[in-house]
Amino acid sequence: LSCCLLRAQIATAGYSKPPCAAGEVAASVLGRVLCAPVCGEAGRCPAEKPESTLADARCVLAVPKKTAGMVAGTFAGQKYCGLVCSADSYCPQGSKCTRLQVGQGDAFVKENPLATVSELLVPQDNVEGVCTYKAKKKPSPKEVVMLSMKPLGLEAMKKRGIMPAPGSEEL
């Protein structure tokens, strides 16, 4: 009987690889995939996560303007939860910690507020990420919700007292 209960717990744990449980959407972040629930009131996120996962669920993902509405029911700025990690070892088995890159340059600033920040101010090793899984095929914007880690990047800047570039706070 305990084996069956354990299987039921694993099957219902959130933040896994698609196909997703009820209340979650199949999402893509920087070309990798995850199951993400919509953020609740006051940015609350479901606490259920795969066993042995050290990452914490936080409201740190958002639908960017350019992909809003591609999947029915999505809109610009809509927030989703993800498992926030600082290393691969924080993530569920089979996933990795996907992070924004510091100092990528101006071309990336719309989706990555850390793109124009010096690594002297925010060392890459100190940047948090979101646990994601390798996609079996390139995610289609019509099948999965394309999400941005921009809220997580803005949070990292705020913690260090760094002002974002003008206009880059928009989602």
Side-chain angles (χ1 to χ4, degrees):
L1 181 67
S2 65
C3 75
C4 299
L5 291 175
L6 180 61
R7 255 192 216 133
Q9 282 181 325
I10 291 170
T12 59
Y15 309 100
S16 62
K17 185 175 188 173
C20 303
E24 294 182 315
V25 298
S28 175
V29 174
L30 300 177
R32 295 181 58 85
V33 295
L34 71 150
C35 291
V38 173
C39 298
E41 285 185 37
R44 289 198 173 98
C45 294
E48 306 85 36
K49 56 188 178 181
E51 193 175 323
S52 301
T53 300
L54 299 174
D56 291 319
R58 292 198 343 235
C59 185
V60 295
L61 301 169
V63 176
K65 280 184 184 178
K66 68 180 181 183
T67 61
M70 287 185 164
V71 173
T74 62
F75 55 88
Q78 184 176 17
K79 300 269 182 86
Y80 286 86
C81 300
L83 292 175
V84 177
C85 51
S86 54
D88 292 346
S89 59
Y90 283 66
C91 296
Q93 185 175 357
S95 67
K96 78 171 216 167
C97 189
T98 302
R99 305 175 197 201
L100 290 172
Q101 294 297 305
V102 177
Q104 277 183 304
D106 290 340
F108 299 94
V109 78
K110 284 191 178 192
E111 290 304 315
N112 178 5
L114 298 174
T116 57
V117 175
S118 167
E119 213 174 327
L120 295 172
L121 295 173
V122 182
Q124 186 64 50
D125 290 344
N126 293 353
V127 175
E128 291 180 314
V130 175
C131 298
T132 61
Y133 297 84
K134 185 176 181 180
K136 289 188 177 176
K137 60 180 183 168
K138 186 176 181 197
S140 163
K142 292 191 177 10
E143 296 172 2
V144 299
V145 179
M146 300 295 183
L147 296 177
S148 166
M149 288 195 293
K150 191 171 190 174
L152 188 58
L154 290 170
E155 186 181 290
M157 291 173 72
K158 186 176 182 180
K159 280 182 189 175
R160 289 166 180 82
I162 302 168
M163 296 294 293
S168 69
E169 289 190 63
E170 279 183 27
L171 293 173

